[in-house]
Each structure stands twice: as structure tokens, then as C-alpha cells.
Amino acid sequence: MFFEAVTPFVPTGYQIKWAVGEWERRGAAALRRKVFCEEQKIFAGDDRDALDEVAIPLVAASSLAVAYDAVVGTVRIHEKAPGVWWGSRLAVDAGHRRVGALGAALIRLAVSSAHARGCTRFFAHVQEQNGPLFERLRWRPLETVVLHGRPHLRMEADLAFYPPFATPEAGFLTLVRRAA
């Protein structure tokens, strides 16, 4: 046949970092709206809350050759009390979930960068279906709670598994291999 189905391009390089540019912050907010409002319908219109005033957004930016193209993953972190940090609103664009490494890379940077800033305990409320991913990444469930009408696990990271990472503004490059 002359015409074959075109497979959508999925980059193999992603920069995992703190959102320092305005385009990164806007991209993170847009991705959160897409995932939590449109796709999952947890929130109506917007998912922003008071934590956004103090939280540090992190992003996974896809790379097209040498330039960053789009924010395709995000999470936010904040220090709730001295040494006690929380992560929330982990989201990966549906077209990039099959990459499989972005959520884990965002979690790694979230905990490791907080660890470098004096974190002694790191928690998150994790949607129940995502609990196995966090457990593979050395998190332990503490209790089940209902948030926004959905079951979540309150989980704690094993900080011994997350060495301090002191340069989250620059972040790190994650290269992924596409399945054949």
C-alpha cells in the first residue's frame, strides 16, 4: 500500500528539572488542567489551590534535538514543616505515559531535591491505582484516605533510596529507549 499509518513522534530525551521559566510554569499548569480536570474530571475548570503559592513545580520537558518542545510531565513539592516535605499533583501527558520513565524520574527529582534542602520525611497522597509504582520506587503506604472523592494512599518515601540532588534548577536528562 502506498500510504501507511503514521506513528506519532515521541521524543527519546526529556529534561527533568524544577520549572524556572515562565513557559515551564504555564506548561505545568496546562498539563495539570488537562489531566486532573479534563481527563480525570477530579476538578471543574482548574486544579490550582493555596499550595500553588508556596509549592515548587517540577517538569519533564520533551526535547526535539537541541530545543525543548513541551512540558509533558509535572509534579509539585513543598515544605509543610521544617524537614517535612510533600509532593502532589503528579501528572504525565497521556501521549507520553507509554514512555514509562517520566513519572519515576519526576518522583526521583522531587524527593532528591527536597532531601538536598534538609528533608527528613517526604510524603504524598497517591491515587490508589498508582500505589504499585510508588512501592517499586521505595515508598511505603501508611493509610488509605479519600480525597476529591477518590481513594488515595498516604505514602512515605524511603529517603535512603533518594540521595540529595543539589542542582534541580538544571535537573538531569533522561533518555528512554522506544519499544520496537
Side-chain angles (χ1 to χ4, degrees):
M1 174 161 249
F2 290 108
F3 298 101
E4 294 182 25
V6 177
T7 303
F9 174 76
V10 177
T12 58
Y14 299 86
Q15 189 71 21
I16 312 300
K17 62 190 287 297
W18 281 13
V20 294
E22 188 54 37
W23 77 271
E24 295 166 325
R25 293 176 193 279
R26 280 193 312 269
L31 178 58
R32 285 174 38 187
R33 273 191 303 280
K34 182 178 176 183
V35 170
F36 298 118
C37 301
E38 297 168 23
E39 183 181 317
Q40 295 184 1
K41 301 194 182 322
I42 295 174
F43 303 99
D46 198 0
D47 75 315
R48 290 187 57 81
D49 60 21
L51 285 180
D52 287 303
E53 299 303 317
V54 297
I56 302 163
L58 287 70
V59 295
S62 61
S63 178
L64 296 176
V66 296
Y68 298 118
D69 174 52
V71 172
V72 297
T74 189
V75 69
R76 67 181 181 181
I77 61 173
H78 74 283
E79 188 173 24
K80 186 172 184 172
V84 179
W85 287 70
W86 281 78
S88 57
R89 301 290 205 274
L90 175 66
V92 174
D93 181 84
H96 294 267
R97 289 183 195 143
R98 68 178 178 263
V99 169
L102 297 181
L106 285 161
I107 293 164
R108 189 172 94 214
L109 181 61
V111 181
S112 293
S113 61
H115 197 180
R117 282 151 184 77
C119 176
T120 57
R121 297 188 80 185
F122 195 103
F123 298 97
H125 286 117
V126 176
Q127 289 185 22
E128 197 171 61
Q129 73 269 16
N130 297 325
L133 166 65
F134 281 76
E135 288 185 52
R136 284 192 302 275
L137 296 173
R138 303 267 183 90
W139 289 62
R140 65 184 177 99
L142 303 173
E143 68 177 329
T144 301
V145 297
V146 175
L147 297 172
H148 312 293
R150 295 181 181 222
H152 285 68
L153 301 170
R154 185 169 67 89
M155 299 186 81
E156 183 174 7
D158 175 359
L159 290 180
F161 188 69
Y162 296 91
F165 186 83
T167 57
E169 297 85 357
F172 57 85
L173 181 64
T174 293
L175 297 174
V176 295
R177 181 176 290 165
R178 281 187 230 185

